Amino acid sequence: MELLGSYSISRLTTDTYNLSYNIPVNCETSVKQNDDLFEIFITLKENETQPSVVFFTETTICTAYNNLIYIEFHQQDLSNNANGNSLKKPTIRIDVNG
């Protein structure tokens, strides 16, 4: 089961975008930014084994670097043989022509 529900991107200014995404209430996120790359890590909270069917919305403001924004979602792999790995999907690229 995937931990990322729906997501959307809306333009705020020429080079700034609002990313909204839904995750289960028993999950947490961390965001790592390096220049144009925004990595969003989604994992189950401690002592949780299955994602909830109830979701909530998180938001992140993404600002372009050299006219680009890359967004990568890293979702905890919940399969039995995952060994702490994550699934990287989806990946989004925004070319800003401001």
Side-chain angles (χ1 to χ4, degrees):
M1 175 178 231
E2 293 189 14
L3 301 179
L4 176 64
S6 61
Y7 60 92
S8 65
I9 300 168
S10 58
R11 186 176 185 174
L12 300 175
T13 66
T14 300
D15 63 351
T16 304
Y17 290 74
N18 182 56
L19 171 66
S20 297
Y21 51 96
N22 296 320
I23 63 170
V25 295
N26 63 340
C27 288
E28 56 194 5
T29 62
S30 63
V31 179
K32 179 181 173 188
Q33 186 211 345
N34 185 14
D35 296 333
D36 61 354
L37 176 61
F38 291 81
E39 294 180 285
I40 299 162
F41 298 86
I42 306 170
T43 56
L44 286 172
K45 291 181 180 178
E46 190 174 347
N47 299 321
E48 295 287 343
T49 58
Q50 292 295 317
S52 172
V53 295
V54 178
F55 284 71
F56 75 102
T57 302
E58 289 272 16
T59 60
T60 299
I61 302 298
C62 302
T63 303
Y65 179 84
N66 290 334
N67 293 324
L68 287 173
I69 298 173
Y70 288 102
I71 301 166
E72 292 181 350
F73 286 97
H74 298 263
Q75 301 179 61
Q76 179 181 356
D77 188 347
L78 301 178
S79 64
N80 291 333
N81 58 355
N83 295 327
N85 294 328
S86 66
L87 305 170
K88 184 171 75 172
K89 62 179 184 177
T91 299
I92 304 162
R93 175 184 165 143
I94 302 172
D95 292 300
V96 179
N97 295 318

